[in-house]
Amino acid sequence: MHWVARQRFHHRSALMQGWGVALLFAACVLWIWLAFLLADQADAYCYSTVSNCERITDLPELITLLTLSVPLSVFGAALLIGGSVRRQTSAHIHQVIEMQLAEDRAREK
């Protein structure tokens, strides 16, 4: 029973980490898309008769991408860190239990 519960806990932790990585990957895709859109805007439209340069801005699209990427990265990082901490804590508790059992067996001898 102990082994089955530990495996389920480990599986749930791995799922948390997997979802965290997937969300972080999605956020990175949005950041790359945002970077390409910003790089395209680095070119200015300049008129020959006027010394003013107008920038072509797609500000709503840029803000939307940024707004979507922030929660994805926050939730992705939280899930990845939470899953990692759960796995490490589970491994630590298992080692402590094994050490206690080894001490109990050494005392019985």
Side-chain angles (χ1 to χ4, degrees), residues 30-31 34 60-73:
L30 290 175
W31 290 335
L34 182 65
E61 185 179 2
L62 298 175
I63 291 174
T64 302
L65 287 175
L66 186 63
T67 304
L68 289 175
S69 70
V70 169
L72 286 178
S73 59

Side-chain angles (χ1 to χ4, degrees), residues 5-101:
R6 186 168 183 262
Q7 288 294 357
R8 285 183 187 159
F9 187 82
H10 183 73
H11 179 69
R12 285 191 306 260
S13 299
L15 282 176
M16 283 178 68
Q17 285 180 318
W19 277 106
V21 168
L23 289 176
L24 284 173
F25 180 74
C28 285
V29 168
L30 290 175
W31 290 335
I32 291 170
W33 188 8
L34 182 65
F36 280 127
L37 289 176
L38 288 173
D40 284 343
Q41 289 197 8
D43 303 328
Y45 239 12
C46 292
Y47 297 105
S48 59
T49 59
V50 181
S51 63
N52 266 351
C53 291
E54 284 187 22
R55 290 189 148 233
I56 302 170
T57 58
D58 295 329
L59 196 58
E61 185 179 2
L62 298 175
I63 291 174
T64 302
L65 287 175
L66 186 63
T67 304
L68 289 175
S69 70
V70 169
L72 286 178
S73 59
V74 169
F75 289 135
L79 284 173
L80 183 63
I81 290 169
S84 297
V85 167
R86 283 174 56 117
R87 271 188 171 185
Q88 291 174 357
T89 303
S90 173
H92 175 72
I93 290 171
H94 183 66
Q95 286 179 346
V96 168
I97 290 171
E98 288 297 321
M99 288 187 325
Q100 288 174 345
L101 291 175

